[in-house]
Amino acid sequence: MKLHPQEIEARFRRHAVRVTRQRTAIYAALAETTSHPSADDLYQMVKRQQPMMSRNTVYYTLSVLRDAGLVREVNVGHDMARYDGNVSMHHHLICLGCGQIMDVMDDDLNRLQLSSGQARGFDVLGHRVEFHGYCVSCRQARRDVPSRRG
Amino acid sequence: MKLHPQEIEARFRRHAVRVTRQRTAIYAALAETTSHPSADDLYQMVKRQQPMMSRNTVYYTLSVLRDAGLVREVNVGHDMARYDGNVSMHHHLICLGCGQIMDVMDDDLNRLQLSSGQARGFDVLGHRVEFHGYCVSCRQARRDVPSRRG
DNA sequence: GTCATTGCAAAGGATTTGCAGTTCC
DNA sequence: GGAACTGCAAATCCTTTGCAATGAC
């Protein structure tokens, strides 16, 4: 969703995040896409508009936005972190082939809870559900080039 | 669960995994604990019995066992991968303070499914649920040393 | 005997840190 | 004005890779 700079600035101030050109651009890029980019993806995207932007600033900014609750960090596999501008409660559907991440909005999933026995005294603050599988194009690719195991 | 070397060897053969002293030790260490150790944790654990063991062997062995389906890789956060000798379907409860991971066995969670509309043409092969919170001792520690925000 | 596995060292890639200069509040 | 942010470079950490020696089947 494309956001007006004023809206971004308002959100930053609401969350006590200092407003800078770089942060606004990073947050705008993240809000505009549904593709869950990595820090480096965002660096590449934003550098087109602001060639002076450094990779470090992207990492630092993402950590600031994450801590402020303006951005969500999604970890899939043990490779690089990916970021999500959608901080409302939702879950993910992940393609094991191409790594794309789709949002899943579902109230039943949002309501999942552990029984008190299962919780083992934990103060449970939230949960996350990931579905794994193959997207349409990766299913196709797998049919075309069968693996060693057939 | 402590396993007999013969049982480990049988499982390896059943999954076409070559039997070596190093692999047996790594798998035994993993089966014996419920703590979801990292590759390096396992390296430290196993090195006590086999000082010649190299870190590389641990990484390589874990990838072999993972591909054979004898071990499950758990990724929490974007830091190091952690390993789980329990490959039956189950989910996790993770402490945001100390990082400990507890197993959650729950048939209702195992049965979660996406509606066909939500699945967007994906061939969904599985899912994973993570509950996040603070364990008893970390709750205590947080009370004792309140954060800047109270 | 052959091929996968092991061990060592070095490379690789994502992220963090140190520090000087700059900018926002 | 002062604390927080930015940018550059170097460092750090986990993991993978190259390669010769070893060991399982």
Side-chain angles (χ1 to χ4, degrees):
Chain A
M1 177 174 35
K2 190 142 190 143
L3 296 177
H4 284 259
Q6 300 100 298
E7 168 59 16
I8 295 176
E9 193 175 321
R11 289 191 190 180
F12 281 10
R13 292 192 195 285
R14 206 149 50 225
H15 291 261
V17 169
R18 275 205 187 169
V19 179
T20 70
R21 211 158 4 98
Q22 291 88 337
R23 291 178 176 195
T24 306
I26 292 167
Y27 186 72
L30 198 49
E32 220 171 310
T33 181
T34 58
S35 74
H36 305 79
S38 67
D40 201 67
D41 293 337
L42 280 165
Y43 170 62
Q44 302 297 343
M45 290 157 73
V46 174
K47 203 168 57 155
R48 276 180 230 134
Q49 302 148 41
Q50 306 203 15
M52 287 303 293
M53 172 81 64
S54 96
R55 199 178 255 101
N56 183 338
T57 299
V58 176
Y59 277 99
Y60 181 70
T61 296
L62 287 171
S63 75
V64 169
L65 296 179
R66 189 215 320 120
D67 293 348
L70 283 164
V71 148
R72 194 170 132 184
E73 199 176 298
V74 183
N75 299 291
V76 28
H78 50 215
D79 38 18
M80 51 203 171
R82 313 240 322 233
Y83 292 86
D84 192 340
N86 178 357
V87 293
S88 66
M89 192 173 197
H90 68 282
H91 303 281
H92 290 123
L93 171 58
I94 297 161
C95 178
L96 298 169
C98 61
Q100 75 168 293
I101 304 174
M102 316 275 307
D103 287 338
V104 173
M105 319 295 280
D106 183 308
D107 283 340
D108 288 339
L109 293 179
N110 294 348
R111 279 192 287 265
L112 289 180
Q113 281 190 16
L114 288 179
S115 71
S116 58
Q118 290 169 324
R120 269 92 144 222
F122 272 59
D123 182 17
V124 177
L125 300 178
H127 64 276
R128 181 152 61 194
V129 186
E130 282 176 14
F131 290 88
H132 301 109
Y134 288 93
C135 71
V136 176
S137 26
C138 287
R139 286 165 72 174
Q140 190 61 49
R142 279 156 62 81
R143 253 195 299 278
D144 295 346
V145 186
S147 73
R148 292 167 278 158
R149 307 207 159 217
Chain B
M1 178 173 35
K2 187 142 191 146
L3 296 177
H4 285 258
Q6 300 100 297
E7 167 60 17
I8 295 176
E9 193 176 321
R11 290 191 189 180
F12 281 10
R13 293 191 194 286
R14 208 149 48 225
H15 291 262
V17 169
R18 277 207 186 169
V19 180
T20 69
R21 211 159 3 98
Q22 291 87 337
R23 290 175 178 195
T24 307
I26 291 167
Y27 186 71
L30 199 48
E32 220 170 309
T33 179
T34 58
S35 74
H36 305 77
S38 67
D40 200 66
D41 293 337
L42 281 165
Y43 170 61
Q44 303 296 342
M45 289 157 72
V46 173
K47 203 168 57 155
R48 274 180 232 134
Q49 303 147 41
Q50 307 203 14
M52 289 302 292
M53 172 82 64
S54 95
R55 200 178 255 99
N56 183 337
T57 299
V58 176
Y59 277 99
Y60 182 70
T61 296
L62 287 170
S63 75
V64 169
L65 296 179
R66 187 211 326 117
D67 293 348
L70 282 163
V71 147
R72 193 170 133 184
E73 197 175 299
V74 182
N75 298 293
V76 28
H78 51 216
D79 39 19
M80 52 204 168
R82 313 242 320 233
Y83 291 86
D84 192 339
N86 178 358
V87 294
S88 65
M89 192 172 196
H90 67 281
H91 302 280
H92 290 123
L93 171 58
I94 297 161
C95 179
L96 298 169
C98 61
Q100 76 168 294
I101 304 175
M102 316 275 306
D103 287 338
V104 173
M105 319 295 281
D106 182 308
D107 283 340
D108 289 339
L109 294 179
N110 294 348
R111 278 192 287 264
L112 289 180
Q113 283 190 16
L114 287 179
S115 70
S116 58
Q118 290 171 324
R120 269 92 144 226
F122 270 60
D123 182 17
V124 178
L125 300 178
H127 64 277
R128 180 154 60 195
V129 186
E130 282 175 14
F131 290 88
H132 301 110
Y134 287 93
C135 71
V136 176
S137 26
C138 288
R139 286 165 73 175
Q140 191 60 51
R142 279 155 63 80
R143 255 195 298 279
D144 295 346
V145 185
S147 71
R148 293 167 279 157
R149 307 206 160 217

